[in-house]
Each structure stands twice: as structure tokens, then as C-alpha cells.
Amino acid sequence: MRYNLLGNTGISVSEIAFGGVEIGLPYGPGIRNEQEMLNEKEAVHLLRNALDQGINFFDTARMYGKSEELMGEAFRGIRGEVVLCSKCRHLRDASGRLPDPEQLAVLIYQSLEESLKALRTDYLDVWMLHQADLEILQHETVCRVFQDIQKKGWARSIGASTYSVSESERAIRSGIWQVVQLPFNLLDQRQSAVFGLAGDQGVGLVARSVLLRGMLTRRGVHMQAPLAEIERHISKYRNLAASHHMELPEYATRFVLAQPQFAAVLVGIDKQEYLDRAVETADMELIAAFLLEGAIPFPDPEFIDIPYWDRMGWLE
């Protein structure tokens, strides 16, 4: 396992980050309810195995069901051996509105307190905004409270989880957000537009959606009709990978690992075989140039909208 500095934070993280959403709630194609998830004992065992296998960077969120509690149990007594990243509760209400400044500050502090309690720690290595849109990224109260939390030692660094290129650019240029977690994968490579800027500003980048919620695995077949073009495009990657004796998840992960701008690549893990595969993939040499050249993104990236697909029921 290789380790990289997370921007200018001084924090060293494993190249593979353990994505904790899948152990916390039903998530991804083929996972419909809690009965199909790992139980608590299995999840804690998996987390400890990940640490034993060289992963020190663990990503979770207040909104990830029981994920924080499981990590708190898994790393009880060994907090100093892991880098914990969690994310604040969503700041907008069901109608999309932000609370007034006073209520907003209370919400952020309450969310942090809940996360610290669940994770059994008195600080986070990375504390992030979740679904950080342009207004939130520059909101005076949000910025002030996050910076105050860092000054008080409750977070070693602060950051934002973004969706669009414009959000990532705003976060990087702000001088406030030290870490940005953004989507990047074979199908959707738009965020490469901010790679140079992040390097210039010393902002740590973490890639997520590397397997696009399981679509770039063996689960990415027999999709619903609206996603037929996505499935056809994925099949091209699968065929290219197979022609070089490689499975699609390995190809997808190695493609992102080959981008030197990322300090870490977030991989959702809810099975020992997925953990083993992620660690083995990280230990491989960089992917061949012709496989990078074959990683042609989906021609209509604006169509790639996982939250929308979810609302439409296309991922069931």
C-alpha cells in the first residue's frame, strides 16, 4: 500500500480509502434492505481487516446510517492508527432551504457532536461539508463555524464533498476548504478540469464514485431501459478489460489510481473479497498507457446523475 500527503494538511493517507456507506445503509445495485448487508460483527471485522491490510483512511458521514458507530467500535482503543473523515448532516431542509444563521450554526455543531460520539473520538482528521453547493461553500456562517471547529482542535482539516466542476473549483479557490472529495470514474471525467488548480493551491483531492455505485462491477448489467446507453458504454470497458485479462472493477480502479492528482481513491467496501481486490489493485503497477487511452468517457456526461437515477427508481 502506498501513502500520500493529503494536500497541504500534513496528513498521510493510504492510496485506497475505505468507503463506509455500504456498511451503514442499503446502497448500490442489488442491495435492497438491511438483511442483505453485513451484520455488526461482520462489518467491524471487515474494518479491522482493512487496517491490517494497510488501509488507514476511512470515510463515513452522519448520513450513512450506522457507519460511524461501526467505525467507532472497530477502532476503539486504536484511534491514533486511523485517519477518520466524516461529513456533516445535510444543511438544507426538505424544501431546499437553508436555516437562518443561528440555527445553521447549531445544526453544524450538533452534527459534529453526534459524529464524535458515534466514532468514539474527540477529533476528526477531516470534517467535510456533505453536498456542498455553491451557496453553501461561500456561506459566511458555514465557513466561520467550520473554521472555528478546526481552531478548537475538533478537526485537523476541513473540506467539502462536491458534485459539479464549478463547486469543486469554488471550494479549491476559496482558501478555506483544504480537502475536496469529488466524483471521478471511467464514465465521468469532467473533474479533471480542476486537477491543476488543486495542485497549485495545495488542496488534497479524494476521488469517489470510482465504481459509480457498483455499476462498474459485475452488478452493472441488466439495467433498466433508461440506462441502456450507459450499459452499452460500460460493456466497452468490460470488453477492453477482458482483452487484457482484467476484470472491470480492477480496470476502473486502476484508471483512477493512475491520476497522480489524487491523494486517495475512495472504494466502497462491504465484502472481504472487495477489500482484498482493492488492496491487490493498489499494489499493482500503474496501468498501461493504451488502457488509459481506451478510457473514453460517456459522451453525454450531464446525463450521469446518480441521485436523479435513484429518485426515478432506475437503480432498483
Side-chain angles (χ1 to χ4, degrees):
M1 181 67 64
R2 289 178 286 267
Y3 299 85
N4 301 308
L5 286 175
L6 188 56
N8 289 342
T9 65
I11 300 171
S12 178
V13 296
S14 52
E15 196 169 37
I16 295 290
F18 187 110
V21 61
E22 284 89 349
I23 63 170
L25 49 78
Y27 186 84
I31 306 298
R32 294 160 295 195
N33 53 60
E34 290 190 4
Q35 285 66 44
E36 296 176 339
M37 296 168 54
L38 296 180
N39 61 39
E40 180 177 340
K41 184 177 179 180
E42 292 168 333
V44 167
H45 184 67
L46 182 65
L47 287 162
R48 290 174 178 164
N49 282 350
L51 181 59
D52 289 342
Q53 292 177 237
I55 295 176
N56 76 341
F57 193 15
F58 294 84
D59 176 86
T60 184
R62 191 83 287 265
M63 306 299 292
Y64 289 174
K66 57 186 179 181
S67 177
E68 288 182 325
E69 286 79 3
L70 292 168
M71 290 188 186
E73 174 63 26
F75 305 131
R76 180 168 49 172
I78 53 172
R79 171 66 180 91
E81 297 181 26
V82 296
V83 175
L84 292 178
C85 170
S86 194
K87 307 177 200 72
C88 185
R89 286 189 175 277
H90 296 165
L91 300 181
R92 295 189 182 277
D93 63 21
S95 66
R97 291 176 296 188
L98 287 172
D100 63 48
E102 184 176 348
Q103 292 175 317
L104 191 55
V106 170
L107 174 59
I108 294 170
Y109 277 113
Q110 285 182 341
S111 182
L112 175 66
E113 183 178 355
E114 292 167 359
S115 289
L116 294 176
K117 181 179 180 181
L119 288 162
R120 305 187 188 208
T121 185
D122 57 3
Y123 73 96
L124 291 169
D125 297 286
V126 187
W127 174 234
M128 306 189 85
L129 288 168
H130 208 166
Q131 295 187 353
D133 59 42
L134 293 173
E135 181 183 2
I136 290 173
L137 285 166
Q138 58 188 356
H139 194 287
E140 190 277 332
T141 298
V142 173
C143 295
R144 174 178 53 79
V145 172
F146 266 76
Q147 288 178 307
D148 285 348
I149 285 169
Q150 184 178 18
K151 289 175 183 176
K152 292 174 181 176
W154 295 332
R156 293 175 65 193
S157 63
I158 56 176
S161 177
T162 60
Y163 282 90
S164 70
V165 173
S166 59
E167 290 165 357
S168 299
E169 183 176 359
R170 179 66 57 83
I172 293 167
R173 290 189 183 279
S174 71
I176 296 170
W177 310 108
Q178 301 163 285
V179 182
V180 174
Q181 187 185 110
L182 49 80
F184 189 82
N185 53 68
L186 285 168
L187 282 166
D188 185 0
Q189 301 170 33
R190 288 173 289 178
Q191 297 277 359
S192 61
V194 303
F195 284 176
L197 178 64
D200 292 342
Q201 298 292 324
V203 172
L205 295 184
V206 177
R208 74 166 190 278
S209 298
V210 173
L211 299 178
L212 200 62
R213 201 162 167 177
M215 290 187 182
L216 295 172
T217 70
R218 60 174 176 248
R219 294 175 180 173
V221 295
H222 310 304
M223 295 182 186
Q224 296 196 27
L227 301 180
E229 287 300 318
I230 291 286
E231 184 171 351
R232 276 192 282 271
H233 204 83
I234 290 174
S235 71
K236 297 177 183 178
Y237 300 139
R238 185 176 286 108
N239 292 337
L240 181 59
S243 70
H244 297 284
H245 311 289
M246 192 184 303
E247 293 188 6
L248 179 57
E250 177 187 330
Y251 179 29
T253 305
R254 291 180 70 185
F255 167 71
V256 183
L257 284 168
Q259 315 302 318
Q261 296 83 2
F262 288 117
V265 173
L266 191 63
V267 179
I269 298 172
D270 60 355
K271 292 183 180 181
Q272 182 64 44
E273 65 176 290
Y274 297 163
L275 170 59
D276 293 340
R277 188 177 301 152
V279 172
E280 290 167 3
T281 300
D283 288 340
M284 294 176 180
E285 296 180 354
L286 291 180
I287 198 168
F290 61 87
L291 286 172
L292 288 175
E293 294 167 2
I296 300 171
F298 190 66
D300 181 14
E302 295 296 331
F303 178 70
I304 301 173
D305 187 340
I306 293 289
Y308 175 73
W309 295 354
D310 207 2
R311 290 195 300 272
M312 297 298 292
W314 296 348
L315 300 178
E316 297 176 358

